[in-house]
Amino acid sequence: MTSEEPKLQFWYDFASPYSFLAAMRIDDLATASGVEVQYRPLFLWGVFKARGWERPPATFAARVDYMWRDVARHAARAGHPFQRPSTFPRNSVLSDRLACVALREGWVAPLTRAVFEAAFVENADIADPKVLAHVVEGLGGDGHAAVAQAQAGPAKQHLQDLTDEALSLGVFGAPSFVAEGELFWGDDRLGEALDWSLEHRVGESREAAR
Amino acid sequence: MTSEEPKLQFWYDFASPYSFLAAMRIDDLATASGVEVQYRPLFLWGVFKARGWERPPATFAARVDYMWRDVARHAARAGHPFQRPSTFPRNSVLSDRLACVALREGWVAPLTRAVFEAAFVENADIADPKVLAHVVEGLGGDGHAAVAQAQAGPAKQHLQDLTDEALSLGVFGAPSFVAEGELFWGDDRLGEALDWSLEHRVGESREAAR
């Protein structure tokens, strides 16, 4: 019996700049660590409302200015292109639902990167169904069909269920990472979350016990 | 002419758990980098009010629970003792004013570490003048005299002036670091802030120009 591969849940929303930073690097880091990433879209605005934030911290002027500067510094350090979106926050609900469709069908990782790049590199309006269809087509998929699915009941319910699950795990912002039940918040905690999933994986104790 | 030593402003408040984490490690890191730390106490509640936060994000339940877990993880990684204070946030205004007294008199670094340890290791009530006098005495100072100075007009004005200066620099939370005019927020940005002060120091361009 081999030890189960450690897993890390990656909770994100396409309106979130720090989720963009995390999405750009999580697969490379996780692969290097031998950790499996479980993509988990959520609806961040719904999380904020459930937590009692009618006005999220990141919408206050001083903090917004800082955030874009900080995100630009981090993108530059990572050597990744970045463009501040002309509208913030974007309405992300349709793109989050599209990620639910892709999750069910097994293409969520490339879709996630492509939507984040549309939002934070190309300054595209990811609330626009045509923009999302174009993103899907860039991945070789049927854009019209995928967006139609994202607009239908099952995808709406899937996103609601995932958002509720995130709340039950203690999530209050994005990105968040959950490793063996332990919550980490923010792109800057990605390394620690990966370490945690390696150090505390369920298989580890079984290994040690043999 | 030798290049001027690079400087890093460290803005903090004694109610702030992440300021505690930063204070525990900033001197060692800065010394290793050859950067001079400039201690800058501020009154964080005043910053929040000025920014329009009647209720700071860190007072929401889900976020508070996470914060203590996160601080405990970081203290453990750093090998530093930590105890969650029985009251949060503590009223920090008198301790912040005491730091202004120590700043003026040249003993702010040891006073800062000692107050943070009282608050976040010993669970002492740093709003209590007797607690603060005891901290000062532990450093070999005159506790009664120092606390009396902290309660007097000049110290109050000094803290107000520093808080106003922080606001003018774009500060919205603590700890914050300012390196050659560039703002960094959060204990997890300390390394980047030190790098910035080294890479962008004023003396550097003079050196290069010679």
Side-chain angles (χ1 to χ4, degrees), chain A residues 51-53 57 60 62-63 66 69-70 73-74 77 172 182-185 188-189 192 195-196, chain B residues 18 51-53 57 60 62-63 66 69-70 73-74 77 172 182-185 188-189 192 195-196:
Chain A
R51 294 299 184 206
W53 278 313
F60 283 79
R63 189 142 164 183
Y66 172 79
R69 185 77 185 126
D70 191 52
R73 286 192 306 238
H74 278 241
R77 285 167 80 106
F172 55 88
E182 185 82 0
L183 177 66
F184 297 84
W185 171 52
D188 37 46
R189 295 296 186 273
E192 286 170 49
D195 288 348
W196 192 278
Chain B
Y18 289 103
R51 295 298 185 206
W53 277 312
F60 284 79
R63 189 144 164 180
Y66 173 79
R69 184 77 186 126
D70 192 53
R73 286 192 305 239
H74 278 241
R77 285 168 81 105
F172 56 88
E182 185 83 0
L183 177 66
F184 297 83
W185 171 52
D188 39 43
R189 295 294 187 273
E192 285 171 50
D195 288 348
W196 192 278

Side-chain angles (χ1 to χ4, degrees), chain A residues 13-19 43-46 48-49 53-61 63-65 67-68 83-96 116 119-120 123-128 174:
Chain A
D13 176 293
F14 289 115
S16 155
Y18 289 103
S19 295
F43 184 48
L44 187 56
W45 203 260
F48 286 153
K49 288 195 76 166
W53 278 313
E54 286 302 320
R55 190 178 165 188
T59 62
F60 283 79
R63 189 142 164 183
V64 170
D65 290 347
M67 179 182 69
W68 292 122
Q83 189 183 165
R84 176 174 173 165
S86 49
T87 300
F88 179 78
R90 296 276 188 200
N91 182 332
S92 57
V93 68
L94 182 60
S95 57
D96 294 337
F116 275 122
F120 294 102
N123 186 27
D125 180 6
I126 56 167
D128 182 343

Side-chain angles (χ1 to χ4, degrees), chain B residues 118-200:
Chain B
F120 293 102
V121 180
E122 296 153 32
N123 186 27
D125 180 5
I126 56 167
D128 182 345
K130 290 193 295 297
V131 166
L132 293 177
H134 185 72
V135 167
V136 172
E137 283 151 19
L139 300 169
D142 182 334
H144 183 76
V147 171
Q149 272 188 277
Q151 289 167 325
K156 291 182 184 182
Q157 188 61 51
H158 194 178
L159 183 61
Q160 182 63 58
D161 291 346
L162 285 171
T163 304
D164 289 345
E165 186 185 342
L167 286 168
S168 76
L169 293 166
V171 167
F172 56 88
S176 291
F177 310 99
V178 179
E180 301 294 344
E182 185 83 0
L183 177 66
F184 297 83
W185 171 52
D187 171 61
D188 39 43
R189 295 294 187 273
L190 175 52
E192 285 171 50
L194 284 165
D195 288 348
W196 192 278
S197 67
L198 287 168
E199 289 160 12
H200 297 82

Side-chain angles (χ1 to χ4, degrees), chain B residues 47-134:
Chain B
V47 169
F48 286 153
K49 288 195 78 164
R51 295 298 185 206
W53 277 312
E54 287 303 320
R55 189 176 166 190
T59 62
F60 284 79
R63 189 144 164 180
V64 171
D65 290 345
Y66 173 79
M67 180 182 69
W68 292 122
R69 184 77 186 126
D70 192 53
V71 170
R73 286 192 305 239
H74 278 241
R77 285 168 81 105
H80 202 283
F82 162 71
Q83 187 182 167
R84 176 174 171 164
S86 49
T87 299
F88 180 79
R90 296 275 187 202
N91 183 331
S92 58
V93 69
L94 183 60
S95 56
D96 294 338
R97 288 171 182 161
L98 180 62
C100 291
V101 172
L103 176 60
R104 205 174 288 256
E105 297 182 354
W107 46 290
V108 68
L111 183 276
T112 296
R113 284 191 297 274
V115 174
F116 274 122
E117 295 208 325
F120 293 102
V121 180
E122 296 153 32
N123 186 27
D125 180 5
I126 56 167
D128 182 345
K130 290 193 295 297
V131 166
L132 293 177
H134 185 72

Side-chain angles (χ1 to χ4, degrees), chain A residues 26-47:
Chain A
I26 193 168
D27 279 353
D28 285 350
L29 286 175
T31 301
S33 301
V35 173
E36 181 192 329
V37 178
Q38 299 181 315
Y39 282 76
R40 294 290 181 266
L42 55 70
F43 184 48
L44 187 56
W45 203 260
V47 169

